[in-house]
Amino acid sequence: MTLRQLEILRAIIRYRTTVAAASQLGLSQPAISNAIKAMEAQTGFPLFERINNRLFPTREAQMLHDEAESIFTMHTILENKLRDLKESKAGHLRIVATPPIGYGVIPSALRQFLAQRPQVQVFFDVRRYEGVIDSVESNLVELGFAIGLEDRPGLHCEAVFTGDMVCVVKPGHPLADKPLITPADLDGYPFIALERGTRLGEAVRESFRKAGQPFKHAVEVRYCNTACVLAESGVGVAIVDPFSPRYGAGDELVVLPYEPVTRAVASVTWSKSRPLSRLAQAFLAEVRAGAARMERDYRERLSRRD
Protein backbone atom coordinates (compact mmCIF):
# COMPACT_ATOMS: atom_id res chain seq x y z
CA MET A 1 0.00 0.00 0.00
CA THR A 2 1.21 3.49 -0.78
CA LEU A 3 1.54 6.26 1.79
CA ARG A 4 -1.43 8.01 0.16
CA GLN A 5 -3.58 4.89 0.53
CA LEU A 6 -2.59 4.60 4.18
CA GLU A 7 -3.47 8.27 4.64
CA ILE A 8 -6.92 7.65 3.17
CA LEU A 9 -7.39 4.58 5.36
CA ARG A 10 -6.41 6.62 8.40
CA ALA A 11 -8.84 9.44 7.55
CA ILE A 12 -11.78 7.06 7.04
CA ILE A 13 -11.13 5.30 10.35
CA ARG A 14 -10.90 8.67 12.11
CA TYR A 15 -13.97 10.33 10.54
CA ARG A 16 -16.15 7.26 9.81
CA THR A 17 -17.61 8.59 6.53
CA THR A 18 -16.24 8.98 3.02
CA VAL A 19 -17.61 12.54 2.85
CA ALA A 20 -15.74 13.66 6.00
CA ALA A 21 -12.55 11.87 4.94
CA ALA A 22 -12.74 13.48 1.50
CA SER A 23 -13.19 16.93 3.03
CA GLN A 24 -10.23 16.42 5.34
CA LEU A 25 -7.93 15.25 2.54
CA GLY A 26 -9.15 17.68 -0.10
CA LEU A 27 -10.47 14.90 -2.36
CA SER A 28 -13.87 14.09 -3.82
CA GLN A 29 -16.16 11.56 -2.20
CA PRO A 30 -16.05 9.26 -5.26
CA ALA A 31 -12.24 9.33 -5.09
CA ILE A 32 -12.37 8.07 -1.51
CA SER A 33 -14.88 5.34 -2.44
CA ASN A 34 -12.73 4.25 -5.37
CA ALA A 35 -9.66 4.20 -3.12
CA ILE A 36 -11.43 1.84 -0.70
CA LYS A 37 -12.30 -0.52 -3.57
CA ALA A 38 -8.73 -0.41 -4.86
CA MET A 39 -7.26 -1.12 -1.41
CA GLU A 40 -9.65 -4.02 -0.80
CA ALA A 41 -8.82 -5.48 -4.22
CA GLN A 42 -5.13 -5.12 -3.44
CA THR A 43 -5.28 -6.66 0.04
CA GLY A 44 -7.83 -9.35 -0.80
CA PHE A 45 -10.04 -8.76 2.24
CA PRO A 46 -12.68 -6.21 3.32
CA LEU A 47 -11.46 -3.13 5.13
CA PHE A 48 -14.75 -1.59 6.32
CA GLU A 49 -18.26 -2.50 7.37
CA ARG A 50 -21.07 -0.02 6.70
CA ILE A 51 -23.46 0.48 9.64
CA ASN A 52 -26.09 3.27 9.53
CA ASN A 53 -24.23 5.13 6.77
CA ARG A 54 -21.00 5.06 8.75
CA LEU A 55 -17.87 3.05 8.01
CA PHE A 56 -16.31 0.93 10.72
CA PRO A 57 -12.91 -0.71 10.18
CA THR A 58 -12.55 -4.46 10.18
CA ARG A 59 -10.01 -5.99 12.52
CA GLU A 60 -7.54 -6.25 9.65
CA ALA A 61 -7.97 -2.58 8.72
CA GLN A 62 -7.45 -1.53 12.33
CA MET A 63 -4.23 -3.57 12.48
CA LEU A 64 -2.96 -1.87 9.31
CA HIS A 65 -3.86 1.51 10.78
CA ASP A 66 -2.04 0.81 14.06
CA GLU A 67 1.11 -0.41 12.30
CA ALA A 68 1.09 2.64 9.99
CA GLU A 69 1.09 5.17 12.87
CA SER A 70 4.86 4.91 13.27
CA ILE A 71 5.20 5.71 9.55
CA PHE A 72 3.12 8.86 9.96
CA THR A 73 5.13 9.86 13.03
CA MET A 74 8.38 9.61 11.09
CA HIS A 75 6.75 11.40 8.14
CA THR A 76 5.74 14.27 10.42
CA ILE A 77 9.29 14.52 11.74
CA LEU A 78 10.59 14.62 8.16
CA GLU A 79 8.08 17.33 7.19
CA ASN A 80 9.17 19.41 10.19
CA LYS A 81 12.80 19.07 9.11
CA LEU A 82 11.94 20.14 5.56
CA ARG A 83 9.95 23.12 6.85
CA ASP A 84 12.88 24.22 8.99
CA LEU A 85 15.16 24.12 5.95
CA LYS A 86 12.63 25.95 3.78
CA GLU A 87 12.17 28.72 6.34
CA SER A 88 15.95 29.03 6.86
CA LYS A 89 15.68 28.28 10.56
CA ALA A 90 18.87 27.53 12.43
CA GLY A 91 17.74 24.02 13.27
CA HIS A 92 15.87 21.68 15.57
CA LEU A 93 17.23 19.74 18.53
CA ARG A 94 15.52 16.94 20.47
CA ILE A 95 16.78 15.93 23.93
CA VAL A 96 15.48 13.91 26.87
CA ALA A 97 16.67 13.45 30.46
CA THR A 98 15.81 11.73 33.72
CA PRO A 99 14.46 14.10 36.42
CA PRO A 100 17.68 14.84 38.38
CA ILE A 101 19.50 15.93 35.21
CA GLY A 102 16.40 17.34 33.55
CA TYR A 103 15.68 19.64 36.47
CA GLY A 104 19.34 20.28 37.36
CA VAL A 105 22.00 20.64 34.67
CA ILE A 106 19.81 20.92 31.56
CA PRO A 107 17.84 24.14 32.29
CA SER A 108 20.90 26.35 32.81
CA ALA A 109 22.66 24.81 29.79
CA LEU A 110 19.53 25.30 27.70
CA ARG A 111 19.27 28.95 28.74
CA GLN A 112 22.86 29.64 27.65
CA PHE A 113 22.42 27.65 24.45
CA LEU A 114 19.23 29.40 23.31
CA ALA A 115 20.47 32.86 24.28
CA GLN A 116 22.95 32.62 21.40
CA ARG A 117 20.56 30.84 19.02
CA PRO A 118 17.13 32.50 19.19
CA GLN A 119 15.92 30.74 16.02
CA VAL A 120 16.63 27.22 17.26
CA GLN A 121 13.69 25.06 18.28
CA VAL A 122 14.23 22.51 21.06
CA PHE A 123 12.09 19.56 22.08
CA PHE A 124 12.86 18.62 25.69
CA ASP A 125 11.20 15.91 27.76
CA VAL A 126 11.80 14.41 31.21
CA ARG A 127 11.32 10.64 31.45
CA ARG A 128 12.35 7.61 33.45
CA TYR A 129 15.65 5.88 32.70
CA GLU A 130 14.07 3.33 30.36
CA GLY A 131 12.31 6.09 28.43
CA VAL A 132 15.59 7.94 27.90
CA ILE A 133 17.29 4.82 26.49
CA ASP A 134 14.33 3.92 24.26
CA SER A 135 14.13 7.46 22.86
CA VAL A 136 17.81 7.48 21.91
CA GLU A 137 17.84 3.95 20.51
CA SER A 138 14.80 4.67 18.33
CA ASN A 139 16.35 7.97 17.11
CA LEU A 140 13.42 10.01 18.43
CA VAL A 141 15.96 12.26 20.20
CA GLU A 142 19.63 13.02 19.59
CA LEU A 143 20.82 13.27 23.18
CA GLY A 144 19.73 11.48 26.34
CA PHE A 145 20.89 12.35 29.87
CA ALA A 146 20.62 10.12 32.94
CA ILE A 147 22.31 9.02 36.14
CA GLY A 148 23.80 5.54 36.11
CA LEU A 149 23.93 5.01 32.36
CA GLU A 150 25.47 1.68 31.38
CA ASP A 151 27.29 0.73 28.18
CA ARG A 152 24.87 -0.52 25.55
CA PRO A 153 25.54 -1.80 22.03
CA GLY A 154 24.97 0.95 19.49
CA LEU A 155 25.18 3.84 21.95
CA HIS A 156 27.96 6.23 22.94
CA CYS A 157 28.04 7.03 26.66
CA GLU A 158 30.04 9.85 28.27
CA ALA A 159 30.14 10.90 31.93
CA VAL A 160 29.61 14.64 32.38
CA PHE A 161 29.48 14.90 36.18
CA THR A 162 30.51 12.66 39.07
CA GLY A 163 29.32 13.41 42.57
CA ASP A 164 28.29 11.62 45.77
CA MET A 165 24.87 10.94 47.19
CA VAL A 166 23.95 13.32 50.02
CA CYS A 167 21.60 13.43 52.97
CA VAL A 168 18.88 16.11 53.07
CA VAL A 169 16.98 17.24 56.18
CA LYS A 170 14.80 20.15 57.20
CA PRO A 171 16.52 22.99 59.11
CA GLY A 172 16.27 22.39 62.85
CA HIS A 173 16.26 18.62 62.43
CA PRO A 174 18.38 16.81 65.09
CA LEU A 175 20.76 15.65 62.34
CA ALA A 176 21.14 19.06 60.68
CA ASP A 177 24.35 20.01 62.57
CA LYS A 178 26.22 16.74 62.08
CA PRO A 179 29.36 16.95 59.86
CA LEU A 180 28.29 13.84 57.96
CA ILE A 181 25.55 11.22 58.01
CA THR A 182 25.82 7.42 58.09
CA PRO A 183 23.04 4.81 57.92
CA ALA A 184 23.38 4.30 61.70
CA ASP A 185 22.59 8.00 62.25
CA LEU A 186 19.28 7.57 60.46
CA ASP A 187 18.00 4.90 62.81
CA GLY A 188 14.98 6.18 64.71
CA TYR A 189 14.05 8.89 62.20
CA PRO A 190 11.38 8.61 59.46
CA PHE A 191 13.29 7.75 56.27
CA ILE A 192 12.23 8.63 52.71
CA ALA A 193 13.49 5.84 50.45
CA LEU A 194 14.02 5.88 46.71
CA GLU A 195 12.04 3.29 44.78
CA ARG A 196 13.27 -0.30 44.95
CA GLY A 197 14.64 -1.54 41.63
CA THR A 198 15.82 1.89 40.44
CA ARG A 199 19.56 2.52 40.13
CA LEU A 200 19.73 5.12 42.88
CA GLY A 201 17.28 3.24 45.07
CA GLU A 202 19.40 0.11 44.91
CA ALA A 203 22.60 2.12 45.43
CA VAL A 204 21.25 3.53 48.72
CA ARG A 205 20.13 0.07 49.85
CA GLU A 206 23.59 -1.27 49.05
CA SER A 207 25.18 1.47 51.17
CA PHE A 208 23.07 0.31 54.13
CA ARG A 209 24.22 -3.28 53.54
CA LYS A 210 27.86 -2.14 53.48
CA ALA A 211 27.32 -0.35 56.79
CA GLY A 212 25.64 -3.40 58.32
CA GLN A 213 22.51 -1.37 59.00
CA PRO A 214 18.97 -2.67 58.40
CA PHE A 215 17.09 -0.72 55.73
CA LYS A 216 13.79 0.67 57.03
CA HIS A 217 11.67 3.41 55.49
CA ALA A 218 8.48 5.32 56.18
CA VAL A 219 7.88 6.55 52.62
CA GLU A 220 9.06 5.30 49.23
CA VAL A 221 9.20 7.64 46.23
CA ARG A 222 10.24 7.32 42.59
CA TYR A 223 12.27 10.51 42.19
CA CYS A 224 14.91 12.32 44.25
CA ASN A 225 13.11 15.61 43.58
CA THR A 226 10.05 14.23 45.36
CA ALA A 227 12.20 13.08 48.26
CA CYS A 228 13.65 16.61 48.60
CA VAL A 229 10.20 18.20 48.68
CA LEU A 230 9.05 15.75 51.36
CA ALA A 231 12.23 16.28 53.41
CA GLU A 232 11.77 20.04 53.25
CA SER A 233 8.18 19.58 54.45
CA GLY A 234 9.42 17.70 57.50
CA VAL A 235 8.17 14.27 56.44
CA GLY A 236 11.55 12.66 57.04
CA VAL A 237 15.20 12.31 56.03
CA ALA A 238 16.35 11.28 52.54
CA ILE A 239 19.49 10.20 50.69
CA VAL A 240 19.49 11.69 47.18
CA ASP A 241 21.73 12.57 44.25
CA PRO A 242 23.76 15.82 44.51
CA PHE A 243 21.65 17.63 41.85
CA SER A 244 18.16 17.39 43.30
CA PRO A 245 18.67 19.33 46.57
CA ARG A 246 19.51 22.40 44.50
CA TYR A 247 16.57 22.11 42.13
CA GLY A 248 14.06 19.74 43.70
CA ALA A 249 12.87 21.99 46.52
CA GLY A 250 13.21 25.51 47.88
CA ASP A 251 16.02 27.00 49.96
CA GLU A 252 14.86 25.46 53.22
CA LEU A 253 16.90 22.27 52.97
CA VAL A 254 20.12 21.24 54.75
CA VAL A 255 22.47 19.14 52.59
CA LEU A 256 24.94 16.86 54.42
CA PRO A 257 27.71 14.52 53.21
CA TYR A 258 26.79 10.83 53.35
CA GLU A 259 28.92 7.76 54.04
CA PRO A 260 29.55 5.11 52.83
CA VAL A 261 30.44 7.16 49.76
CA THR A 262 27.85 6.37 47.08
CA ARG A 263 28.66 7.67 43.61
CA ALA A 264 26.12 9.37 41.36
CA VAL A 265 27.43 9.70 37.80
CA ALA A 266 25.48 11.83 35.32
CA SER A 267 26.07 10.81 31.72
CA VAL A 268 24.97 11.63 28.20
CA THR A 269 24.25 9.07 25.50
CA TRP A 270 23.67 9.21 21.77
CA SER A 271 23.38 6.76 18.88
CA LYS A 272 26.45 5.37 17.14
CA SER A 273 24.40 4.94 13.97
CA ARG A 274 24.50 8.63 13.07
CA PRO A 275 26.91 11.48 13.84
CA LEU A 276 25.76 14.24 16.16
CA SER A 277 24.43 17.35 14.45
CA ARG A 278 26.28 20.63 14.95
CA LEU A 279 23.45 21.80 17.20
CA ALA A 280 23.73 18.69 19.38
CA GLN A 281 27.49 19.15 19.64
CA ALA A 282 27.05 22.80 20.65
CA PHE A 283 24.46 21.91 23.29
CA LEU A 284 26.64 19.13 24.65
CA ALA A 285 29.48 21.65 25.01
CA GLU A 286 27.16 23.85 27.12
CA VAL A 287 26.23 20.87 29.29
CA ARG A 288 29.90 19.98 29.82
CA ALA A 289 30.69 23.57 30.81
CA GLY A 290 27.71 23.74 33.18
CA ALA A 291 28.58 20.38 34.72
CA ALA A 292 32.20 21.53 35.24
CA ARG A 293 30.97 24.63 37.09
CA MET A 294 28.64 22.53 39.19
CA GLU A 295 31.40 20.07 40.01
CA ARG A 296 33.72 22.91 41.10
CA ASP A 297 30.99 24.29 43.37
CA TYR A 298 30.37 20.82 44.74
CA ARG A 299 34.06 20.27 45.55
CA GLU A 300 34.33 23.73 47.14
CA ARG A 301 31.40 22.98 49.43
CA LEU A 302 33.03 19.73 50.49
CA SER A 303 36.38 21.46 51.17
CA ARG A 304 34.67 24.13 53.32
CA ARG A 305 33.13 21.38 55.44
CA ASP A 306 36.56 19.77 55.87
Side-chain angles (χ1 to χ4, degrees):
M1 296 181 73
T2 66
L3 184 61
R4 187 56 166 171
Q5 287 176 318
L6 290 173
E7 189 177 29
I8 292 171
L9 177 72
R10 187 190 196 201
I12 298 171
I13 291 177
R14 179 172 298 178
Y15 297 104
R16 300 299 193 208
T17 69
T18 56
V19 173
S23 176
Q24 177 67 21
L25 296 176
L27 300 173
S28 66
Q29 189 274 337
I32 296 294
S33 297
N34 290 335
I36 294 175
K37 294 177 183 178
M39 286 187 286
E40 290 181 333
Q42 182 178 347
T43 58
F45 51 77
L47 295 173
F48 295 95
E49 296 178 1
R50 186 176 291 276
I51 303 175
N52 296 328
N53 293 322
R54 296 177 70 82
L55 295 175
F56 292 86
T58 61
R59 183 179 180 184
E60 292 79 7
Q62 190 64 54
M63 290 174 64
L64 284 173
H65 171 272
D66 294 345
E67 290 294 330
E69 279 305 300
S70 60
I71 297 175
F72 286 108
T73 298
M74 295 305 297
H75 185 254
T76 299
I77 292 174
L78 179 59
E79 284 186 325
N80 290 338
K81 291 281 189 181
L82 290 173
R83 186 172 60 249
D84 288 345
L85 292 174
K86 182 179 179 181
E87 296 175 1
S88 299
K89 293 182 178 178
H92 192 92
L93 178 64
R94 300 177 69 86
I95 56 178
V96 65
T98 54
I101 312 302
Y103 299 139
V105 177
I106 299 299
S108 57
L110 198 55
R111 183 182 67 249
Q112 296 291 331
F113 177 75
L114 292 176
Q116 303 171 39
R117 301 168 182 84
Q119 299 304 313
V120 169
Q121 291 183 333
V122 176
F123 170 84
F124 172 46
D125 196 9
V126 176
R127 300 180 185 176
R128 297 192 69 176
Y129 179 91
E130 295 79 8
V132 170
I133 298 299
D134 290 345
S135 297
V136 176
E137 288 184 330
S138 60
N139 287 328
L140 293 178
V141 301
E142 270 202 271
L143 296 171
F145 298 86
I147 291 179
L149 280 172
E150 300 172 349
D151 290 335
R152 294 174 68 95
L155 295 183
H156 288 287
C157 185
E158 174 191 322
V160 293
F161 178 88
T162 299
D164 302 329
M165 301 286 280
V166 295
C167 178
V168 291
V169 299
K170 185 178 177 62
H173 190 280
L175 298 177
D177 293 327
K178 291 184 69 67
L180 65 86
I181 301 297
T182 67
D185 295 323
L186 302 175
D187 189 31
Y189 297 105
F191 184 62
I192 304 164
L194 301 178
E195 184 179 13
R196 179 184 295 275
T198 62
R199 282 156 178 78
L200 294 184
E202 291 302 317
V204 174
R205 286 168 172 79
E206 177 61 24
S207 72
F208 273 68
R209 285 190 287 270
K210 287 181 179 179
Q213 189 72 15
F215 187 86
K216 297 177 291 184
H217 63 275
V219 182
E220 186 177 53
V221 299
R222 178 173 296 178
Y223 299 126
C224 291
N225 307 76
T226 309
C228 287
V229 172
L230 294 182
E232 186 182 27
S233 299
V235 173
V237 181
I239 306 299
V240 299
D241 67 83
F243 310 104
S244 297
R246 183 175 177 182
Y247 299 97
D251 297 328
E252 296 299 316
L253 202 58
V254 178
V255 182
L256 303 165
Y258 174 69
E259 290 185 357
V261 172
T262 306
R263 298 294 183 193
V265 181
S267 301
V268 59
T269 185
W270 66 90
S271 175
K272 291 181 179 178
S273 65
R274 59 176 184 174
L276 285 179
S277 67
R278 293 175 62 85
L279 281 177
Q281 293 177 42
F283 180 71
L284 186 51
E286 288 289 353
V287 171
R288 291 184 183 119
R293 290 191 296 271
M294 184 176 292
E295 190 157 4
R296 285 196 299 271
D297 292 344
Y298 173 74
R299 299 302 172 191
E300 287 175 4
R301 287 197 302 272
L302 289 182
S303 63
R304 285 197 295 269
R305 284 188 172 275
D306 294 340

